[in-house]
Amino acid sequence: METTTLGKTNIRIPWLGIGTWQWGDRMMWDYGKGGYTDADIRASFDATIAGGVRFFDTAEVYGMGRSERFLGRFVQESGEQVVIATKFFPYPWRFRRKQLLSALRSSLRRLKMSQVDLYQVHFPLPPLPVEAWADALADAVEAGLTRAVGVSNYNAEQMGLVHNTLAARGVPLASNQIQYSLLHREPERNGQLQTARDLGITIIAYSPLAKGMLTGKYTPENPPPGARGRMYNHERLVAIQPLITLMQEIGAAHGDKTPAQVALNWTICKGTVTIPGVKNARQAESNLGALGWRLTADEVAALDEASAEAQ
């Protein structure tokens, strides 16, 4: 399994991990409906482990704690050594630094662990400035509750502020988890990718399949259900189809790789760690097919051009 260093820490992670937003979430992912059960979630974990991937990302708000509970139970029952990342949500009523430590301890109880590998602030929300939560992250490291710290959804300027605040405490900013995919390339233009490279911060790409739109499963005639159908309407699905066709052609040249596997490989070729979500073993096994090969520079350029037209 090809791995990379998590920022300027001594933690090694694979270029592909697993996002667990779907594990217990009913609002976006319809947990508990359509044959999407606890057994399916466990099967996705087992398939991921069997494929050699041992990096899982969760958050306290995913399924209102259900995702962390699932992951903690699965890890404990499997006995496997894994790298676990979770997140703190800065609700507006959380306005004291020590509330981050309290939330982390609650996450650790749900995960059945004494320490996580990576603890992240989920969003740069007020009322506290990002520097205050950065200091709280350093407190968490000093308390031995996490090995490394990161942020999520922070812009380039905010990333720099957190990096500097943590550096003053002798703690590196390991990562920034942001939305990045062939259908969301804003990080290339807004400085997030470049700032991360300059500061030695790992970019963790969430929603690398654009909530399933890059799998080829959905078309104008077969739109996604629920909230995703409202986000990706008929017009947007029409615009995506030429990109899907190109992904199919490129995938065929690499031994019948699927559009999803091409999309994930593209994010890896861009130097980011990608964390697609999974609901079942089939999806987990599909994700693993993005590893062990690389797109050519010409193929990346072609995908860049086609994705720009699909925005």
Side-chain angles (χ1 to χ4, degrees), residues 65-84:
R66 281 189 292 268
S67 176
E68 290 180 326
R69 292 189 184 93
F70 276 128
L71 183 56
R73 186 172 83 242
F74 299 161
V75 171
Q76 186 177 65
E77 291 173 354
S78 71
E80 295 287 344
Q81 293 293 318
V82 299
V83 176
I84 300 295

Side-chain angles (χ1 to χ4, degrees), residues 63-306:
M64 301 310 294
R66 281 189 292 268
S67 176
E68 290 180 326
R69 292 189 184 93
F70 276 128
L71 183 56
R73 186 172 83 242
F74 299 161
V75 171
Q76 186 177 65
E77 291 173 354
S78 71
E80 295 287 344
Q81 293 293 318
V82 299
V83 176
I84 300 295
T86 192
K87 306 182 201 69
F88 164 82
F89 198 93
Y91 293 111
W93 55 86
R94 286 176 167 170
F95 50 86
R96 295 190 300 273
R97 268 171 51 182
K98 65 181 182 180
Q99 289 177 293
L100 181 142
L101 291 181
S102 177
L104 175 50
R105 291 189 175 99
S106 294
S107 286
L108 289 171
R109 285 192 292 271
R110 288 188 289 270
L111 288 163
K112 302 180 186 296
M113 296 172 180
S114 60
Q115 182 188 62
V116 290
D117 299 286
L118 176 65
Y119 197 52
Q120 308 151 95
V121 179
H122 211 145
F123 286 93
L125 299 178
L128 289 190
V130 296
E131 296 94 330
W133 292 129
D135 269 321
L137 289 174
D139 294 342
V141 173
E142 292 175 0
L145 301 178
T146 184
R147 296 173 64 198
V149 293
V151 294
S152 183
N153 300 298
Y154 278 46
N155 65 31
E157 180 182 4
Q158 292 163 337
M159 204 184 335
L161 290 171
V162 173
H163 172 273
N164 293 339
T165 302
L166 288 172
R169 300 277 300 272
V171 176
L173 175 59
S175 60
N176 188 7
Q177 185 178 143
I178 59 175
Q179 184 177 356
Y180 184 51
S181 73
L182 278 162
L183 292 180
H184 187 87
R185 294 175 58 196
E186 185 62 22
E188 298 175 8
R189 299 182 287 271
N190 65 17
Q192 285 175 309
L193 292 188
Q194 190 58 54
T195 298
R197 293 190 189 104
D198 293 342
L199 298 177
I201 298 166
T202 295
I203 289 293
I204 301 174
Y206 74 79
S207 293
L209 298 178
K211 298 181 175 61
M213 300 311 112
L214 291 169
T215 65
K217 175 180 178 180
Y218 299 111
T219 66
E221 296 73 35
N222 179 41
R228 289 182 295 159
R230 293 186 290 275
M231 294 173 65
Y232 290 91
N233 58 24
H234 183 274
E235 182 179 353
R236 290 202 69 188
L237 289 171
V238 169
I240 292 168
Q241 297 315 301
L243 173 61
I244 298 296
T245 298
L246 176 61
M247 294 163 69
Q248 291 168 336
E249 294 170 355
I250 290 174
H254 286 274
D256 293 325
K257 297 298 181 182
T258 66
Q261 291 162 349
V262 170
L264 295 176
N265 198 277
W266 177 88
T267 62
I268 294 170
C269 289
K270 293 288 186 174
T272 71
V273 172
T274 189
I275 53 167
V278 292
K279 287 183 176 180
N280 52 52
R282 177 184 55 79
Q283 292 178 349
E285 291 162 356
S286 172
N287 291 341
L288 295 170
L291 298 172
W293 60 284
R294 289 292 178 99
L295 296 163
T296 68
D298 286 345
E299 288 168 339
V300 170
L303 288 167
D304 286 352
E305 182 178 352

